[in-house]
Structures are given as structure tokens and as C-alpha cells.
Amino acid sequence: MNIRNKIEQITVYLTQNLSGYEVIPANWGWHIHKGDTYCGLLQYQEKKGWQGEALPHVPQEILEQLKKITQ
């Protein structure tokens, strides 16, 4: 699966479903902020899957949907 083909879809999904968070696209993932707090970078790698400092801040149901999008 080529993640580059899904970046826009993932960005829209994160922006619409992470209520209370600000999602900022980055070169290699998405910066996640909640209010004035920086949660970290969320990124996807084909061999490692979803990872980054923001991972613990993302609700499990959203992570499950992200996994489906990137399959």
C-alpha cells in the first residue's frame, strides 16, 4: 500500500474525527495539538505501522480506523 496515495484521506479523517485536537500535516506525518499542548508527531511507516509520540493521545477507535485505511 502506498501511503502517499492516502495522505489526503488520512488528513481529512484525523481533522474531522479528533475533536478537540488540532491536526497539522507534516512532511512525514501529522503534528497533533490539544489546546496549547503539543501531543507529538503521529506517523505511519509501511513496515512498522502507526507510531509516534502522539499515539497514546489518539483514541483507540480512531487508531483502528487508521489501520483499516492503511491496509
Side-chain angles (χ1 to χ4, degrees), residues 21-56:
Y21 291 84
E22 181 180 7
V23 178
I24 302 170
N27 289 335
W28 302 106
W30 298 265
H31 293 285
I32 309 294
H33 297 257
K34 185 165 189 172
D36 292 334
T37 304
Y38 177 64
C39 299
L41 182 67
L42 180 66
Q43 58 186 355
Y44 177 81
Q45 293 183 7
E46 282 190 56
K47 295 183 188 218
K48 295 183 180 181
W50 287 96
Q51 58 185 17
E53 306 88 22
L55 206 56

Side-chain angles (χ1 to χ4, degrees), residues 5-6 10-11 15 18 21 23 25 27-28 38 46 54 71:
N5 296 333
K6 299 279 186 171
I10 294 167
T11 301
T15 302
L18 274 178
Y21 291 84
V23 178
N27 289 335
W28 302 106
Y38 177 64
E46 282 190 56
Q71 286 182 342

